[in-house]
Amino acid sequence: MSILKMTDIQKSFGDNHVLKQISLHVDKGEVVSIIGPSGSGKSTLLRCATFLEKIDAGTITYDERNAAEMKNGKCVYARNLNDFRHIFGLVFQNFNLFPHRTVMKNVTDAPISVLHRDPKEVRALAEELLAKMGLSEKADAYPCELSGGQQQRVSIVRALAMQPEILFFDEPTSALDPELTGEVLKVIKQLAEEHMTMVIVTHEMSFARAVSDRVIFMDGGVIVEQGKPEDVFGDTQEERTKQFLRHYER
Amino acid sequence: MTLMTMVLKMAEGLEKTCAIFFLTLLFSIPLGMIVALLRGSRFKPISWLAKVYISVLRGTPLMLQLIAVTYGPYYLFGISVSRNKLIPVVIAFAINYAAYFAEIYRSGIESMPVGQYEAAQVLGYSGPQTFMKIILPQVIRRILPSMTNEIVTLVKDTSMAFTVSYQEMFTIGKQIANSQTSFIPFIVAGVFYYVFNVIVGFVMGRVEKAMSYYQM
Ligand SMILES: Nc1ncnc2c1ncn2[C@@H]1O[C@H](COP(=O)(O)OP(=O)(O)OP(=O)(O)O)[C@@H](O)[C@H]1O
Ligand SMILES: [Mg+2]
């Protein structure tokens, strides 16, 4: 069953046509990596999926319910978009933790005050997740007291505490020093092994190859090629993909 | 008149000086927030009105505003000038300072990284929740130094109330200076304001310190 179905998505900024009829379906338990050159529209696609940008045309369906659909040639969003937001989580490149709040409060506040979950249960879940990410000692720390890698792991915990069905990552390690990317990738790998549904935009090719069920190569606002990682990386079909992947060969 | 009697007489007026100071803060701090939010409204006429408000109140002398609020009703509508001038004085100060505070709030709100809004939006926070829980606490921290500046200015500006003969410390001091042909009351006033501002500086320093438990 597809958790997310984005169909024929179009998005322009002014006359810059960024997404050209893109479709992306993600099944439950699937790990999808999106790779592609800078400016190809990867972030924009995630931002459209998470309603940070409005699409111009196409449909977005979560759990068989339409969040955005075409009516009389116009794209209309559901009136109760907030009813969709608990389905997904988004991990940002630069974390976007709330600096004035402790790690614990960063993680627990939204489930409690947005989803109205039981504070005790939320705290227990948060403790469990922080422990899993090796952050138990940091519950009372402020984000500024953490390394970049720890901050990114906290932001993953913050997203997970909402118990989303699907998690989006936009270059989760691009803002990190090379020695810190490993600890974050490890955590994502662990989530993949637990069959968390994920869509990951990344420039870490070996990581994409290792964790993904499917790899999508985007260029110029379209999906050029997609498939199993061993096919996309090992038996590349499209010339543009080959060219792109050549940059990552040593 | 001995120095001591001068000081005591002027000290009596300090109560009114403090009244202007604290009441102005009490009203202008929230009023400024309302103006700042209206200024940022997406409904153009409202944001334009707020802009005009800020521009006029910052672009004309506080002294004129005091005179306008205190005597305006008499000249315009024949309403007699109220016996208790504290009310018009505080109104004039509050609307004037609200304009300055509104600009400080606005710059603080605009300095917030867009990522904070986006993180809140993805987590499902409503607009008011985002503002109260995420944005405002950080804005307060960011604008405290500018607020301290403005509050220090307010201490000194309370002396403007002499233009409508409100019997606060400076007005009394000026009257003594005239009747005694003495310069001493001005020195006394200077010392009073300075001590007041040292206290303000100390308190605001404490508040800033209490809020700097995190780095931005
Ligand atoms: N808010 C915006 N306003 C105007 N143009 C934008 C906006 N966001 C993105 N774009 C444009 O859309 C195009 C795609 O940008 P996008 O950020 O999606 O690329 P990307 O694939 O994520 O690139 P990168 O690998 O550098 O992150 C770019 O040309 C960019 O300039
Ligand atoms: Mg990007």
Side-chain angles (χ1 to χ4, degrees), chain B residues 6-214:
Chain B
M6 280 184 194
V7 171
L8 286 177
K9 279 203 147 176
M10 287 170 72
E12 276 172 32
L14 266 182
E15 194 184 313
K16 288 183 171 155
T17 300
C18 288
I20 301 175
F21 176 78
F22 286 111
L23 289 174
T24 298
L25 288 184
L26 180 70
F27 294 116
S28 61
I29 285 177
L31 182 60
M33 183 53 75
I34 295 169
V35 175
L37 292 177
L38 295 179
R39 168 87 166 74
S41 161
R42 250 172 282 163
F43 187 57
K44 281 281 173 299
I46 297 255
S47 110
W48 181 81
L49 269 181
K51 237 169 162 166
V52 170
Y53 172 91
I54 292 168
S55 151
V56 168
L57 280 137
R58 298 205 315 167
T60 57
L62 174 58
M63 205 185 277
L64 279 187
Q65 295 164 21
L66 274 162
I67 293 169
V69 175
T70 311
Y71 302 114
Y74 172 74
Y75 286 113
L76 289 175
F77 313 111
I79 302 167
S80 60
V81 177
S82 68
R83 206 85 83 49
N84 186 357
K85 284 202 185 126
L86 179 62
I87 295 169
V89 166
V90 166
I91 292 176
F93 270 93
I95 59 175
N96 177 275
Y97 270 79
Y100 285 92
F101 288 149
E103 281 300 90
I104 293 177
Y105 298 153
R106 185 174 69 97
S107 71
I109 291 171
E110 283 176 0
S111 77
M112 287 297 295
V114 65
Q116 293 287 302
Y117 290 95
E118 293 186 344
Q121 189 184 326
V122 171
L123 288 166
Y125 286 103
S126 66
Q129 274 180 327
T130 303
F131 186 73
M132 296 308 291
K133 288 175 164 246
I134 315 293
I135 304 301
L136 189 57
Q138 297 185 61
V139 166
I140 291 174
R141 160 85 188 274
R142 279 163 191 248
I143 63 173
L144 266 181
S146 332
M147 290 298 281
T148 304
N149 272 337
E150 221 44 64
I151 294 171
V152 164
T153 306
L154 172 60
V155 169
K156 296 177 284 182
D157 273 356
T158 55
S159 60
M160 292 281 188
F162 87 86
T163 45
V164 293
S165 320
Y166 179 62
Q167 295 289 313
E168 45 73 56
M169 183 265 285
F170 187 74
T171 310
I172 295 172
K174 217 166 159 322
Q175 286 160 354
I176 298 173
N178 283 342
S179 64
Q180 307 282 313
T181 44
S182 163
F183 188 68
I184 305 282
F186 294 123
I187 296 172
V188 174
V191 171
F192 273 142
Y193 287 125
Y194 183 69
V195 171
F196 200 149
N197 267 332
V198 167
I199 297 170
V200 167
F202 175 78
V203 171
M204 292 306 285
R206 275 298 181 85
V207 176
E208 277 181 43
K209 208 166 157 205
M211 295 210 68
S212 52
Y213 59 87
Y214 71 93

